[in-house]
Amino acid sequence: MPQPSRLVVLVSGAGTNLQALIDASADPAYGAEIVAVGADRSDIEGLARAVRAGIPTFVVKVKDFDERADWDAALTDQVAGYAPDAVVLAGFMKLVGSAFLDRFEGRVLNTHPALCPSFPGTSGPAEALAYGVKVTGATLFVVDAGIDTGPIIAQTTVPVADDDDVESLHERIKVAERNMLVESVGRMAREGISVQNRRVRFGS
Ligand code: GAR
């Protein structure tokens, strides 16, 4: 069997998407292993999940640096130390900067709880609900310099219910999102991806 793809996963909160990847990668046939989990804050469940799974963790906080670019450079160095094949932003609520993207170009993935290009940013479920859409979902994409603008690897849809609030809608999205993330990251690890004119295909 070929060596599994080395993943570094970055989180900012509950880490349920991270947990789905931890669970999937327990099977060697999955094709990917999580070599480290990083965060922009401490004392979060996402880090605790990594510790319980025996995965190394690190924290790089924006407030510990005078300049945002210095934070970005420090984060880049930490991640690079684990020699990842891909970096998965799984509920990481910070924009990575140009040093990070230059270093890991085309290998940084992000999952967003809306159907891109709709509702980019940190409030996807709330904005979808406020707009009154009947269908929303989640998007896995290759990160570029924009906010949730990169080439789309996969999308999954969920209906909006009449009695949804932001929390119930986001929870329904996250169930679909975790399945999409696990399936797509596994395929990417086993088959690779190619990107041409924004169009992403599995297989190299
Ligand atoms: C996920 O729904 C993810 O898409 C979202 O945060 C949630 C994290 O959940 N990310 C963003 O909104 C980024 N713009 P988790 O911590 O339970 O995996």
Side-chain angles (χ1 to χ4, degrees):
M1 202 179 287
Q3 288 291 311
S5 279
R6 297 171 62 84
L7 306 180
V8 171
V9 181
L10 300 184
V11 297
S12 295
T16 65
N17 281 285
L18 165 66
Q19 187 67 55
L21 289 172
I22 291 173
D23 295 346
S25 57
D27 180 354
Y30 184 63
E33 64 173 336
I34 302 171
V35 294
V37 171
D40 61 323
R41 62 195 71 183
S42 35
D43 300 324
I44 54 172
E45 181 60 16
L47 288 172
R49 290 176 191 276
V51 170
R52 287 198 293 273
I55 299 168
T57 62
F58 59 89
V59 176
V60 188
K61 298 180 185 176
V62 171
K63 71 174 175 57
D64 289 343
F65 298 86
D66 290 338
E67 303 284 340
R68 179 79 178 211
D70 296 336
W71 169 79
D72 191 56
L75 182 69
T76 303
D77 285 347
Q78 279 280 349
V79 172
Y82 292 97
D85 296 304
V87 184
V88 181
L89 311 184
F92 189 61
M93 303 306 262
K94 293 279 187 301
L95 290 177
V96 294
S98 55
F100 194 96
L101 291 176
D102 286 351
R103 182 74 183 243
F104 306 112
E105 194 184 353
R107 296 185 287 143
V108 184
L109 317 183
N110 189 14
T111 177
H112 179 63
L115 293 175
C116 295
S118 294
F119 314 120
T122 54
S123 309
E127 289 181 16
L129 196 62
Y131 197 91
V133 297
K134 300 300 186 194
V135 175
T136 184
T139 303
L140 181 69
F141 60 94
V142 183
V143 176
D144 66 9
I147 299 176
D148 302 326
T149 52
I152 292 170
I153 301 168
Q155 291 185 301
T156 184
T157 58
V158 301
V160 180
D162 288 347
D163 59 354
D164 265 333
D165 57 20
V166 175
E167 193 181 342
S168 66
L169 178 58
H170 196 177
E171 283 307 312
R172 188 176 313 112
I173 291 169
K174 284 173 68 168
V175 172
E177 182 178 30
R178 290 191 285 267
N179 289 334
M180 173 190 70
L181 182 68
V182 165
E183 186 189 324
S184 303
V185 167
R187 280 196 72 183
M188 200 176 146
R190 295 185 303 270
E191 303 171 30
I193 56 168
S194 66
V195 184
Q196 267 184 330
N197 301 326
R198 284 195 60 88
R199 298 189 65 188
V200 180
R201 292 186 181 80
F202 289 106
S204 35

